[in-house]
Amino acid sequence: MVERHVLGLSGGKDSAALAIYMRENFPELNIEYFFTDTGKELPEVYTFLGKLEGFLGKPILRLNPQRGFDFWLKEYNHFLPSPQTRWCTRQLKLLPFENWVKPMLAQGDTVFSYVAIRADESYREGYSSTNSNLKIVLPFREAGIDKEAVKDILEGSGVGWPEYYKWRSRSGCTFCFFQQKIEWIGLLERHPEEFQKAKDYEKDAIEHGSPFTWSKGESLSELEKPERIAQIKKDYERRMEREKQRRPVNPLRPQESYVDIDDLYYEDEGGGSCNICHK
Ligand code: SF4
């Protein structure tokens, strides 16, 4: 029976910063880094993981689900994953992790799983463990590391930001339904072939009676119309400006308070997040 230390990378900024933080502050721990690959990730995710591997000096284990997105889509009657039925997280993120740690726990190992919940976030569902030998550790909360500190860690290490943060926040899953409308437009503009695939999935879902479109209240075909794009961009800029005005200046870091797409999630757009993979 041994102790294992595991840290899941999502391709996003918080888990990357946590890996860097652990490497720098707890080099004595033999941490096993892993990435649960949905098979529907943005190409930027793999580039970023490669950069991170360079910094960490070890490979990030890829955990591939036995059955991919298309299999599960059929199992769920062609209904797109949605906040109500988040089968993608369950089948493509959680299950591969559970299958990976199961033999460790079965042989009596204690598994410490490091999770990047920041000090400025509330502890949300999704990380509770049902096995007493699987211990969830939240180092950022313990050390008071907030969003600004995550930025410092990423930039200070030289690893920097995932490239997709220029137009997208949180998730590297290409088709994540938690995307804001402005992010769908980002996908259309940067990865038009992926946007087309998303449209095809949506069309197929609607034909099979799915009540869900990827984006709340409209199909991607409606969203990609030029006048609608212009409207969404205008709305995004207005919200961004409002958020900047609203944001109190941090007297300790007056220059550094920053607002990004991540700050603009709101319920009207079906805002929310995947607590498992948006880290
Ligand atoms: S990031 Fe989005 S698409 Fe990916 S598993 Fe989580 S909820 Fe599903």
Side-chain angles (χ1 to χ4, degrees):
M1 284 181 282
V2 293
E3 286 188 350
R4 309 268 298 246
H5 301 268
V6 305
L7 193 158
L9 291 151
S10 68
K13 68 178 189 330
D14 290 340
S15 57
L18 182 60
I20 295 165
Y21 174 84
M22 295 304 292
R23 172 88 183 78
E24 286 178 335
N25 292 281
F26 302 94
E28 71 283 3
L29 291 180
N30 178 24
I31 297 184
E32 297 168 72
Y33 302 99
F34 68 93
F35 169 65
T36 42
D37 191 337
T38 62
K40 300 289 177 192
E41 309 284 337
L42 289 167
E44 291 95 322
V45 169
Y46 301 106
T47 311
F48 187 61
L49 290 178
K51 252 174 125 178
L52 206 48
E53 282 177 325
F55 178 88
L56 298 171
K58 64 200 298 191
I60 296 166
L61 181 67
R62 305 313 201 249
L63 301 180
N64 294 305
Q66 284 171 334
R67 296 181 159 123
F69 183 90
D70 293 318
F71 171 86
W72 289 112
L73 185 63
K74 273 198 198 116
E75 282 294 294
Y76 285 87
N77 297 324
H78 299 252
F79 280 26
L80 301 174
S82 68
Q84 292 79 9
T85 313
R86 216 166 70 198
W87 56 256
C88 47
T89 311
R90 172 83 214 117
Q91 307 297 354
L92 302 173
K93 290 280 178 186
L94 282 174
L95 197 62
F97 172 70
E98 285 166 7
N99 288 343
W100 182 50
V101 292
K102 204 186 284 170
M104 302 178 199
L105 297 170
Q107 65 189 27
D109 294 348
T110 302
V111 179
F112 294 90
S113 176
Y114 297 84
V115 178
I117 300 282
R118 301 187 314 253
D120 56 330
E121 296 177 300
S122 51
Y123 183 78
R124 296 173 296 191
E125 49 85 21
Y127 291 109
S128 50
S129 159
T130 47
N131 187 308
S132 60
N133 279 350
L134 176 61
K135 316 263 186 213
I136 308 297
V137 192
L138 308 175
F140 280 171
R141 295 204 88 201
E142 288 164 18
I145 303 232
D146 61 7
K147 189 175 165 191
E148 295 290 339
V150 160
K151 177 173 178 264
D152 291 346
I153 292 170
L154 289 174
E155 291 175 0
S157 68
V159 172
W161 296 76
E163 191 60 23
Y164 68 77
Y165 271 66
K166 286 183 184 150
W167 58 279
R168 160 85 89 95
S169 61
R170 305 190 179 195
S171 154
C173 281
T174 308
F175 307 131
C176 184
F177 53 84
F178 279 126
Q179 283 175 85
Q180 299 176 64
K181 294 180 189 296
I182 191 74
E183 297 175 276
W184 281 110
I185 291 172
L187 185 69
L188 170 66
E189 291 176 345
R190 300 197 182 228
H191 297 288
E193 65 302 335
E194 298 298 329
F195 187 88
Q196 183 56 48
K197 283 185 208 160
K199 267 173 69 181
D200 294 343
Y201 278 125
E202 188 175 70
K203 187 166 171 280
D204 174 64
I206 291 168
E207 281 167 9
H208 281 85
S210 166
F212 307 117
T213 43
W214 286 118
S215 185
K216 195 175 172 188
E218 64 190 324
S219 68
L220 294 184
S221 308
E222 289 163 320
L223 186 143
E224 71 174 341
K225 289 184 179 150
E227 60 278 15
R228 182 68 183 121
I229 291 178
Q231 195 181 32
I232 290 169
K233 285 188 173 172
K234 212 166 137 204
D235 177 54
Y236 168 71
E237 275 155 28
R238 194 176 40 78
R239 282 194 289 141
M240 183 64 98
E241 205 37 55
R242 206 169 45 206
E243 181 64 23
K244 281 184 188 155
Q245 301 293 337
R246 196 192 62 80
R247 184 67 56 104
V249 175
N250 179 348
L252 298 174
R253 307 185 200 211
Q255 311 304 326
E256 296 183 20
S257 199
Y258 70 103
V259 178
D260 58 19
I261 304 177
D262 203 15
D263 296 310
L264 299 182
Y265 270 84
Y266 73 132
E267 288 306 319
D268 270 8
E269 264 203 16
S273 68
C274 173
N275 296 334
I276 308 302
C277 30
H278 282 163
K279 293 308 298 156

